[in-house]
Amino acid sequence: MSGTENVRRRRNVLAASVAAGVLLAGGGGVYLATTASGGGGTGTEARAGDAAGPPPPLRLGSGSADTRGGPGIAPGEPDPGGGPNGTVYTAKGPLPQGPSSAAVHRPGGLVTSAEVTRLAEALGVSGSPALVGDVWTIRPEKDGSGPRLDVTRKAPGNWTYSWYEGGPAGDTCLKGKACPPPGETKPSPGGTPLSEAAAKAAAAPVLKALGQDDAKVSATQVMNGSVRVVNADPVVGGLPTYGWATGLHIARDGRTVAGSGTLKEPVEGATYPVIGAAKALARLNEDSKGTGPIGIGGCATDPPAGEAPDAGRPDVGTGQEPVPGNAAPTPPCRTTVDMAPPEQVPVTGAVFGLAAQDVDGERLLVPSWLFTADPADGAPYTVVRAAVAPEYLTPPAKPSPTPSQPDGDGTAPVRQIESFRTEDDGRKLTVSFWGGVCSTYTVTAEETPSQVSVRVAEKPIDPDRVCILVAKEITRTVTLKSPLGDRPVVDAASGEAVPRR
């Protein structure tokens, strides 16, 4: 029996009976609102699976986000948190109860050469994978032109695929767009992209090789005017997922010219009691009350210029003596933001599934409710709320001012950078990652002849202030000393390869 058939058989076993509403197609972005209460414990213990006694508590990270535009705020989408005034999500119809318990799923195992070869064959990449450090790679030969596939050896096996047009280098290369630097992707020609149906059909062999032929597939996005993007959200443990997607770029001729995703299917971990959709939506609304006025502004603390300090007191200028202990009360300070009502957003669907979240530095699929928010003035989007019973959640750890060492059990930190792109002939490197609204972020790059390592540094704007847990997509650009060429981009926090978008 093949590995693909094994994957399919595992996915055909439904882990729980799920009552689900209609989930409309979202815009690719999602908001993670995670509150926590209860005692101590660490999320890394969730790797123990179903052991005797209750499962260990989970510590959900404040910046949890998905791999494709999942948890977080996608560009052009509304802030599901509603900004300073918050958001109230209202269900348009009854909400499902869902199962009474569900398991987290986590990466496990190592990617083998045979698994990389199976994916390479589906992508049309010839050659044998070579292990370079912790990355399986099949690279173009000679001038660097052709397909390239990189797969991290450690689960979940993040992989990236690109088609490079290398060409000559140095003074023999003509200047201008006709001769891109080695390793840079050749601009796609114009024209009409494939239809959605044709693009999905072209992507089907790759998804089958990944064991994701039962995934939820969309192909509405078009890049560069002629490249159709196929996004697939796999089914894991019989449940739909969010934030664990595969993305494939399909050219006009049906060829896959770029892609990224994960190769290893997550394995089942500990099982947790879960709450129904109604309770999850109520907790989501509690989390979405808003941040209040941010920055400089609000009410004045000093009297207006030219006005006496006691102006407005009823006992001043009237000839009456003030009553001891009965000073006139100060009217409450109210800004325009204070008086604005929260945004009202209808919820038209709810599906029980698994959403990618950071749990103590490890990327896990956590039982969650996936709500479809359908605002009157915008496109529908997905809102995610963890379904794990609140007594099994612990508050997220506060960010450390200095990088911390891995835990004693050897747990590696999760990759921070989601994707990268290059500009200016490969000298400008733009990276995308998920962060919070209450911090500032800087990016630095360390270059070697074999790779470019990128690190993200976070600085809270006000460490003493309570911050709403809203994730948003952030992009930062750094200038390299030399063009990127065919060097891989590596996330410095985790050591993992970063996919090109």
Side-chain angles (χ1 to χ4, degrees):
M1 183 176 291
S2 69
T4 302
E5 290 171 341
N6 280 327
V7 170
R8 188 181 299 110
R9 286 188 64 187
R10 290 197 303 269
R11 285 178 173 164
N12 286 338
V13 178
L14 188 61
S17 297
V18 179
V22 177
L23 181 63
L24 302 179
V30 66
Y31 163 73
L32 268 185
T34 57
T35 55
S37 61
T42 61
T44 55
E45 297 171 4
R47 298 194 309 266
D50 289 323
L58 296 174
R59 177 179 286 122
L60 304 184
S62 60
S64 295
D66 76 350
T67 59
R68 176 186 51 84
I73 304 170
E77 287 192 349
D79 177 359
N85 302 308
T87 300
V88 175
Y89 295 99
T90 305
K92 297 301 181 181
L95 292 172
Q97 177 59 35
S100 59
S101 63
V104 299
H105 287 71
R106 62 178 181 81
L110 298 175
V111 175
T112 66
S113 174
E115 290 172 320
V116 178
T117 300
R118 186 173 68 243
L119 174 60
E121 290 175 350
L123 290 167
V125 180
S126 60
S128 300
L131 191 60
V132 180
D134 291 327
V135 178
W136 290 106
T137 183
I138 303 178
R139 299 184 180 182
E141 299 178 356
K142 298 180 180 180
D143 63 354
S145 62
R148 170 171 173 169
L149 176 64
D150 293 300
V151 185
T152 56
R153 183 167 177 259
K154 184 178 179 181
N158 294 303
W159 63 270
T160 60
Y161 166 73
S162 296
W163 184 276
Y164 292 96
E165 298 288 348
D171 294 336
T172 60
C173 178
L174 299 175
K175 306 301 180 183
K177 294 183 179 181
C179 187
E184 294 300 305
T185 304
K186 186 176 181 179
S188 301
T192 303
L194 280 180
S195 66
E196 293 185 30
K200 291 179 181 179
V206 180
L207 297 178
K208 184 176 182 179
L210 293 167
Q212 298 180 7
D213 42 335
D214 56 354
K216 176 187 175 183
V217 179
S218 65
T220 57
Q221 183 182 0
V222 175
M223 295 183 62
N224 299 326
S226 61
V227 176
R228 178 78 63 178
V229 180
V230 177
N231 291 311
D233 292 307
V235 174
V236 174
L239 295 173
T241 62
Y242 209 87
W244 205 266
T246 295
L248 299 171
H249 296 190
I250 310 298
R252 295 175 58 200
D253 57 4
R255 185 167 49 98
T256 302
V257 294
S260 63
T262 58
L263 187 52
K264 274 286 189 184
E265 182 183 13
V267 297
E268 185 174 315
T271 298
Y272 290 83
V274 295
I275 59 178
K279 288 185 178 180
L281 186 62
R283 292 185 177 277
L284 177 63
N285 283 325
E286 184 68 22
D287 299 334
S288 306
K289 286 185 174 179
T291 58
I294 298 176
I296 300 174
C299 300
T301 55
D302 296 325
E307 186 174 314
D310 290 332
R313 284 182 52 182
D315 57 342
V316 175
T318 62
Q320 301 178 1
E321 292 294 327
V323 179
N326 192 27
T330 302
C333 171
R334 301 200 57 170
T335 66
T336 303
V337 172
D338 292 330
M339 294 181 286
E343 182 183 4
Q344 302 285 334
V345 177
V347 168
T348 56
V351 172
F352 187 82
L354 301 170
Q357 298 203 35
D358 297 340
V359 181
D360 269 357
E362 186 178 15
R363 194 71 158 179
L364 303 183
L365 285 172
V366 177
S368 303
W369 282 101
L370 315 179
F371 296 103
T372 302
D374 193 5
D377 57 351
Y381 58 91
T382 301
V383 186
V384 172
R385 183 53 167 85
V388 175
E391 59 266 27
Y392 290 94
L393 300 178
T394 60
K398 293 183 178 180
S400 173
T402 57
S404 56
Q405 297 297 323
D407 296 335
D409 61 358
T411 300
V414 69
R415 192 183 80 222
Q416 292 180 300
I417 302 172
E418 297 292 325
S419 63
F420 77 91
R421 68 176 186 271
T422 57
E423 300 173 352
D424 193 18
D425 294 337
R427 289 186 177 274
K428 289 187 177 181
L429 182 67
T430 299
V431 297
S432 298
F433 54 94
W434 297 96
V437 297
C438 300
S439 297
T440 58
Y441 299 86
T442 56
V443 171
T444 56
E446 181 178 345
E447 301 181 52
T448 68
S450 60
Q451 68 179 31
V452 174
S453 179
V454 181
R455 184 179 299 278
V456 177
E458 176 182 4
K459 182 180 180 182
I461 298 175
D462 185 356
D464 297 327
R465 179 179 179 180
V466 177
C467 180
I468 185 172
L469 304 184
V470 177
K472 65 176 182 179
E473 187 179 37
I474 298 172
T475 59
R476 293 289 184 270
T477 301
V478 61
T479 301
L480 303 179
K481 297 178 182 178
S482 58
L484 178 63
D486 62 354
R487 293 179 295 175
V489 176
V490 176
D491 179 79
S494 65
E496 294 184 6
V498 178
R500 180 191 291 266
R501 288 285 191 265

